[in-house]
Amino acid sequence: FLVVISAVYFGYIKNRPMDSGQVLNFARSKVVEFELARNLDVENQVKSYGKLEDKDFVDSIGYCTGFIVATQVVLTANHCFHFANDLNLTNEFLIKTSDGKRHKASKILGFNSRKDFLFLEVPTLAKYEFLEFAETFTVGQKVFTLGNVGGEGIAIRDGIIAGETLDPNHPDIKFLRYSAAASPGNSGGPLVDEHGKIIALVF
């Protein structure tokens, strides 16, 4: 009897909806920040023309978000990387995890420009946990955005799924509208439910 009661109780605890603080604690280690790394060639040119010094430059600039979806795999928004044809994946950006460590992607595993997603392989994330995808969602349910707001760190904001919209040019593509706030830097981050499971990718 006690075993049954314990199983029911812990099953309830495990499946109980979380508030925003709990979702952030659960998901934070699985959400990553993207940073543009310093370009020393450009800096040296600017220094010579602008009479600037090393102290006038920051080490990196945050600009987008991603999240770990499988062992060594990060999902993010395609437009975070394909805004320039000459972007060098291994040298021009870094992936920052919640423990402050910075990682480099080894290659692009796949992307879709119309649906705006991109998968990266990041070998040094082998021991990091990842988010799981929700099986279903409903319009009106509570959701949260997690993202590198303004490139200044991860923030969580809540809202609801407000509706679904078909792309008029591509009827096989469906977008979700949501009321949770999203700012520049949120691109590539997850939209998650109250159990911390992925509903969609924010762009």
Side-chain angles (χ1 to χ4, degrees), residues 18 38 50 72 102 118 148 165 181 183 186:
M18 296 184 282
R38 295 177 69 170
Q72 303 180 30
R102 288 171 171 82
L118 180 143
N148 187 15
T165 303
S183 307
N186 266 104

Side-chain angles (χ1 to χ4, degrees), residues 15-200:
N15 295 309
R16 183 174 58 183
M18 296 184 282
D19 62 27
S20 57
Q22 292 169 323
V23 170
L24 180 60
N25 287 335
F26 170 78
R28 180 61 189 91
S29 63
K30 306 165 185 81
V31 176
V32 300
E33 303 166 51
F34 285 90
E35 298 179 339
L36 291 175
R38 295 177 69 170
N39 186 318
L40 297 181
D41 290 336
V42 173
E43 279 186 25
N44 289 332
Q45 292 178 39
V46 173
K47 286 177 187 175
S48 63
Y49 289 108
K51 297 181 180 179
L52 300 175
E53 302 176 7
D54 285 340
K55 65 180 181 180
D56 298 312
F57 297 87
V58 295
D59 289 332
S60 62
I61 299 173
Y63 74 99
C64 257
T65 310
F67 49 106
I68 307 170
V69 294
T71 303
Q72 303 180 30
V73 178
V74 168
L75 175 59
T76 187
N78 177 72
H79 76 261
C80 289
F81 300 94
H82 286 163
F83 54 80
N85 292 329
D86 59 350
L87 183 65
N88 187 320
L89 274 176
T90 57
N91 295 326
E92 294 192 18
F93 78 89
L94 298 171
I95 298 169
K96 182 181 176 183
T97 45
S98 61
D99 55 12
K101 295 180 180 179
R102 288 171 171 82
H103 310 260
K104 288 188 177 183
S106 59
K107 62 182 175 180
I108 295 176
L109 296 173
F111 66 92
N112 186 308
S113 57
R114 289 177 179 170
K115 295 183 179 180
D116 202 9
F117 66 79
L118 180 143
F119 291 94
L120 293 168
E121 182 179 73
V122 188
T124 52
L125 295 180
K127 295 184 179 180
Y128 288 76
E129 295 182 341
F130 52 85
L131 291 174
E132 297 179 354
F133 287 88
E135 294 182 2
T136 60
F137 66 85
T138 57
V139 173
Q141 79 174 76
K142 191 169 186 178
V143 289
F144 304 87
T145 56
L146 284 150
N148 187 15
V149 178
E152 297 179 350
I154 300 297
I156 185 168
R157 291 175 283 188
D158 66 343
I160 63 166
I161 295 178
E164 300 177 67
T165 303
L166 290 175
D167 185 328
N169 298 314
H170 304 284
D172 60 323
I173 297 176
K174 181 185 292 183
F175 298 108
L176 295 183
R177 296 185 182 276
Y178 53 90
S179 63
S183 307
N186 266 104
S187 286
L191 184 74
V192 300
D193 64 16
E194 293 178 285
H195 300 284
K197 292 193 174 183
I198 304 159
I199 297 293

